[in-house]
Amino acid sequence: MHGDIPRLKLVRADAATYLTEHPGTLGLAYSLFGAVDFCAPKRLLPAVAAALRPGGRLIFSTLGRYKNGAPPATECTAADVPARLVEGSASTIRRWVLDTPVREKLLDAFGFDLIGSGIVVDQGPEGGAPMTTCLFSARRRLGRSAQSVRRP
């Protein structure tokens, strides 16, 4: 969809693997209901930290609650949620819908300082559960390599 934007390089790859293979190359990492939702945080966040230059930013949006209205996980665990494949058949996908304090702890553990966070609530479809979106902005700490961060 955005392939015609000058100087934009689109890469189709496993996010954590790609980021790990390109240390210190990014000033900004952005995920709009993307890798942050569908990759294990304990694998993805150190990869993002490695790819970001010190002081680089990670900005992302993620679900604040499951689409069915269930509350987010209070531990770093994924759930298998229903999904539809491109051709329309039913499937499941693994998704990390985590409570804000869990996300904040993970960001801290992997070398990020939280700059800000917020919540947006959309009332959702008539009769359906409201959609809650969490927004986060974090900065990779200065002077710490991604390899020196502690693991939660």
Side-chain angles (χ1 to χ4, degrees), residues 19-42:
L19 293 168
T20 301
E21 292 172 351
H22 295 84
T25 59
L26 301 177
L28 172 70
Y30 173 77
S31 175
L32 176 65
F33 300 107
V36 171
D37 281 0
F38 301 105
C39 296
K42 292 179 182 179

Side-chain angles (χ1 to χ4, degrees), residues 108-119:
D108 178 59
F110 290 109
F112 291 92
D113 291 321
L114 185 66
I115 296 169
S117 64
I119 296 174

